[in-house]
């Protein structure tokens, strides 16, 4: 980006300061950086003819240059005179710079006198036409989005003229400052959010702002995707994290995305095309990746995708496809290149299709990372004519519909109405090759794969194939209406022992042979998939596990249950040898089963199990049925003589 010089004659220090303030305001919106120069040649010359110095310089001006006649008096009608009235205002200065940039593009550089225009602007520009530029009328007609591309409504935020506080605008200093911030996530996010919101109220050049936003981008990405044992332990200990923490993280990601989209929108409004404008496309891709991370953050905490996230991504998919920029990776020095939009979109789309609401919390990040390895095997195409008209029952699995004007993730083509499939802007996402690659990982001879990855692949493949096979059997609840639930292994043990424990009221939404779906209003607790819950029914107590969970941002949650056979009875178990007693929940099934805190089970471990009636049996652990961060569920064999 070239720096263009301005010379001012007859301007006071106050006039220079006013011009500098206006330059700071508009430089980020222009194609070039404008600077005030006291010496040398320039592109644009201002002459304040109200004083002797300015008038003398005006009379000695080079008429081949772009000279602007400035005065506080009534404008003159002198022929071929380009003039504006002082004081300089924001209403006319932006148009003046745009006018100058247009003519600068047609100029040539002379070694002696700097830039000269190929045709003298004072002779070829009608002063009335110049006035139209200053009134923004011509600017609005000339600078508008490309007519042959779809309309693009970006998630931008309003930038006000009110300056709020000081911010760090040097990327190197910002990195140093971030390294010194507290490790407390809540405090760190509050500080980051406040700083990003402040950027909206400062006028920073586009170059500096892109470099600045890049530092925030990598920081937020690190906070979301990097999960060490310390972070997991801290989150697991919080059964009721502050709603503010979740909202702050989501808002911080959205705020940064909006700042990128603000920059992109200026290029869009000027009629630029992303395929030919690396900065435009870079900002679109970075903003899109942040929107996808905002969706991922919601999935990680079993929250619904924030409003307008999917709508933005779906619209950008069509816009960039028609702009022939879907697979471009724009390079912006010195930051390097961004991921292409198609990669960004398919990665979060496949994550959504895999149904993160049915995965354990930390499997969502594992899934997102695993999909990055196969994302290029997914294909987005027009919906073929035969797929548009077939009855839903005859549509193949592994095909999903992208609805450009809907705020939702791609959904199975077999569940999409025929009229929707026929819409010209809707697209089809194919996962067949993704399924093939993942299926190859499950081959028994392939021992290189991580066991947790293989377990995850088995769980998500039915969703990626769009056949929605249930992962666990569900049984019908006897009761309809409201039920009381206690969740969490420790809470359930306390309840069975007669101690007070937290419980929630839930309403049965779906009570059928296929399973049970509960609605939990005002659900502020952290509930994870695979978590143990106890249902207090009219005639009995029923254990179950959460196999699907989604909470909206108003804390209205839905939970899918997988019922556990057997009547729960609280017991204690003592390893042999050993003196420590562990509380447990015994299930009178065949074979008998036991639920204990994590760490009790090991193959063929000898236990003494005692119930409330002080009856004891000697047992040997057999098969581990399931295990989470909180509990283990396993069967055991009663030893002879017990």
């Amino acid at each position: 980006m070239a720096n263009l010089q301005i010379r001012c004659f007859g301007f006071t220090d106050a006039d220079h300061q006013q011009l500098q303030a206006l330059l700071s305001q508009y430089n980020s919106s222009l194609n070039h950086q404008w600077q005030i120069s006291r010496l040398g040649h320039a592109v644009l010359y201002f002459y304040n003819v109200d004083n002797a110095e300015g008038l003398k310089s005006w009379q000695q001006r080079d008429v081949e240059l772009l000279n602007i006649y400035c005065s506080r008096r009534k404008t003159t009608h002198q022929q071929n005179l380009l003039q504006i009235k002082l004081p300089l205002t924001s209403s006319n200065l932006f148009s003046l710079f745009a006018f100058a940039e247009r003519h600068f593009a047609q100029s040539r550089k002379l070694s002696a006198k700097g830039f000269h225009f190929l045709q003298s602007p004072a002779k070829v520009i009608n002063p009335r036409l110049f006035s139209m530029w200053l009134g923004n009328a011509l600017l609005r007609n000339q600078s508008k989005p490309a007519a042959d591309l779809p309309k693009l409504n970006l998630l931008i935020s309003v930038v006000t003229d009110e300056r709020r506080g000081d911010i760090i605008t040097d990327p190197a200093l910002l990195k140093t400052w971030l390294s010194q911030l507290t490790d407390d996530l809540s405090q760190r996010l509050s500080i980051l959010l406040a700083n990003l919101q402040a950027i909206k109220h400062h006028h920073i050049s586009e170059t500096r702002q892109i470099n600045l936003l890049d530092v925030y981008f990598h920081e937020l990405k690190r906070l979301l995707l990097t999960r060490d044992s310390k972070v997991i332990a801290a989150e697991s200990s919080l059964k009721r994290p502050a709603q503010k923490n979740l909202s702050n993280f989501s808002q911080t990601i959205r705020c940064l995305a909006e700042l990128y989209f603000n920059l992109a929108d200026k290029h869009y409004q000027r009629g630029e095309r992303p395929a030919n404008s690396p900065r435009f496309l870079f900002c679109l891709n970075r903003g899109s990746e942040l929107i996808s991370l905002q969706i991922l953050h919601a999935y990680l905490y079993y929250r619904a995708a924030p409003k307008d996230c999917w709508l933005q991504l779906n619209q950008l998919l069509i816009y960039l496809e028609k702009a022939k920029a879907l697979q471009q990776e724009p390079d912006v020095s010195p930051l390097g290149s961004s991921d292409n939009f198609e990669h960004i979109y398919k990665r979060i789309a496949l994550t959504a299709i895999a149904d993160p609401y049915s995965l354990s919390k930390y499997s969502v990040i594992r899934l997102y990372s695993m999909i990055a390895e196969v994302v290029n095997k997914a294909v987005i195409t027009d919906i073929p004519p035969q797929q548009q008209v077939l009855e839903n029952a005859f549509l193949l699995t592994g095909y999903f519909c992208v609805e450009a004007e809907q705020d939702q993730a791609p959904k199975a083509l077999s569940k999409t109405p025929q009229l929707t499939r026929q819409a010209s802007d809707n697209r089809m996402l194919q996962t067949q090759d993704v399924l093939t690659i993942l299926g190859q990982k499950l081959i028994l001879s392939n021992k290189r794969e991580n066991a947790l990855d293989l377990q995850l692949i088995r769980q998500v493949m039915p969703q990626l194939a769009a056949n929605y096979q249930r992962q666990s059997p569900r049984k019908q609840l006897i009761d309809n209406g409201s039920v009381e639930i206690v969740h969490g292994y420790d809470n359930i043990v306390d309840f069975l022992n007669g101690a007070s424990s937290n419980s929630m009221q839930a309403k049965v939404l779906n009570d059928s042979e296929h399973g049970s779906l509960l609605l939990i209003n005002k659900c502020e607790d952290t509930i994870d998939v695979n978590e143990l819950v106890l249902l207090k029914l009219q005639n009995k107590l029923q254990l179950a596990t959460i196999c699907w969970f989604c909470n909206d941002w108003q804390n209205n949650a839905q939970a899918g249950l997988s019922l556990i056979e057997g009547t729960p009875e609280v017991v204690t178990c003592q390893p042999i040898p050993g003196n420590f007693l562990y509380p447990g929940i015994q299930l009178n099934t065949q074979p008998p089963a036991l639920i204990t805190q994590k760490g009790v089970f090991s193959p063929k471990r000898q236990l003494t199990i005692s119930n409330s009636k002080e009856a004891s049996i000697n047992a040997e652990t057999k098969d581990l049925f399931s295990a989470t961060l909180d509990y283990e569920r396993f069967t055991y064999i009663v030893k002879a003589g017990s």
Side-chain angles (χ1 to χ4, degrees), residues 216-503:
Y216 285 104
F217 171 79
H218 289 291
E219 171 67 8
L220 285 178
K221 198 170 180 179
R222 180 189 69 82
L223 290 175
L224 180 62
L225 299 181
T226 303
R227 299 272 162 175
D228 57 20
S229 57
K230 183 178 178 181
V231 172
I232 293 175
E235 289 190 350
S236 299
S237 65
L238 295 176
K239 296 309 292 181
R240 182 173 287 189
Q243 174 78 9
K244 181 181 177 181
N245 290 350
L246 297 181
S247 297
N248 272 2
F249 209 146
S250 186
Q251 289 173 17
T252 305
I253 298 172
R254 174 65 73 91
C255 185
L256 183 55
E258 289 175 351
L259 286 168
Y260 273 112
F261 284 144
N262 281 350
L263 295 176
D265 192 60
K266 293 173 183 177
H267 293 271
Y268 168 73
Q269 297 296 342
R270 290 199 292 259
E272 295 181 26
R273 308 177 72 86
N276 303 325
S277 176
R279 285 197 177 192
F280 182 16
L281 185 56
F282 183 89
C283 291
L284 285 178
N285 287 352
R286 274 292 170 84
S288 300
E289 186 169 358
L290 285 161
I291 293 298
S292 74
L293 292 178
Q294 189 183 14
I295 296 173
L296 181 68
H297 170 262
Y299 290 163
L300 181 61
Y301 293 96
Y302 303 112
R303 297 280 170 162
K307 186 177 182 296
D308 293 332
C309 282
W310 277 111
L311 178 61
Q312 182 74 101
L313 293 180
N314 291 339
Q315 288 183 343
L316 276 168
L317 176 70
I318 305 304
Y319 176 81
L320 291 174
E321 174 199 281
K322 295 188 177 180
K324 302 186 185 308
L326 266 182
Q327 298 179 348
Q328 287 189 18
E329 298 181 357
D331 189 281
V332 173
S333 178
L335 304 179
S337 60
S338 72
D339 287 337
N340 66 69
F341 180 85
E342 188 174 66
H343 176 93
I344 294 167
Y345 184 89
K346 290 191 294 189
R347 188 177 183 186
I348 191 63
L350 291 175
T351 302
I353 289 169
D355 193 10
Y357 301 122
S358 65
L359 302 177
S360 61
K361 178 184 293 185
Y362 300 105
S363 292
V364 177
I365 295 293
R366 182 182 290 274
L367 171 67
Y368 187 71
S369 299
M370 184 176 68
I371 282 178
E373 303 172 8
V374 297
V375 68
N376 291 332
K377 298 298 181 181
V379 180
I380 298 176
T381 64
D382 291 337
I383 302 177
Q386 65 271 25
Q387 299 275 27
Q388 295 179 14
V389 298
L390 278 176
E391 295 293 333
N392 287 45
F394 296 100
L395 289 170
L396 296 175
T397 59
Y399 295 89
F400 298 83
C401 182
V402 177
E403 296 183 56
E405 298 301 324
Q406 296 299 316
D407 189 21
Q408 62 183 21
K411 63 181 180 182
L413 208 62
S414 59
K415 296 182 179 295
T416 305
Q418 192 176 91
L419 286 177
T420 302
R421 284 183 266 134
Q422 293 173 348
S424 61
D425 279 343
N426 291 345
R427 296 292 180 266
M428 183 172 71
L429 172 64
Q430 300 182 41
T431 62
Q432 296 293 331
D433 291 341
V434 174
L435 292 168
T436 300
I437 297 297
L438 294 179
Q440 291 173 351
K441 293 177 180 289
L442 295 178
I443 298 175
L444 294 178
S445 60
N446 190 349
K447 298 180 180 180
R448 295 175 300 173
E449 300 297 333
N450 184 294
L452 291 176
D453 285 345
L454 296 178
Q455 180 182 347
L456 181 59
I457 290 171
R458 292 188 185 95
Q459 189 170 356
V460 303
M461 280 190 69
Q463 279 67 38
L464 292 173
N467 57 19
Y468 303 105
Q469 296 175 358
R470 294 202 179 277
Q471 301 299 297
S472 57
R474 294 182 180 177
K475 293 188 176 180
Q476 183 177 2
L477 275 176
I478 298 175
D479 288 38
N480 289 311
S482 297
V483 294
E484 188 175 353
I485 62 174
V486 179
H487 74 92
Y489 173 76
D490 291 337
N491 278 337
I492 293 173
V493 170
D494 289 342
F495 174 81
L496 293 175
N497 279 322
S500 61
S501 58
N502 295 326
S503 63

Side-chain angles (χ1 to χ4, degrees), residues 174-194:
L174 179 60
K175 290 179 182 179
T176 302
W177 177 73
L178 286 174
S179 68
Q180 298 171 352
L181 281 182
T182 173
D183 288 333
D184 182 88
L185 182 61
S186 176
Q187 295 181 35
R188 197 177 186 93
L189 286 173
S190 296
I191 294 170
L192 291 176
L193 179 58

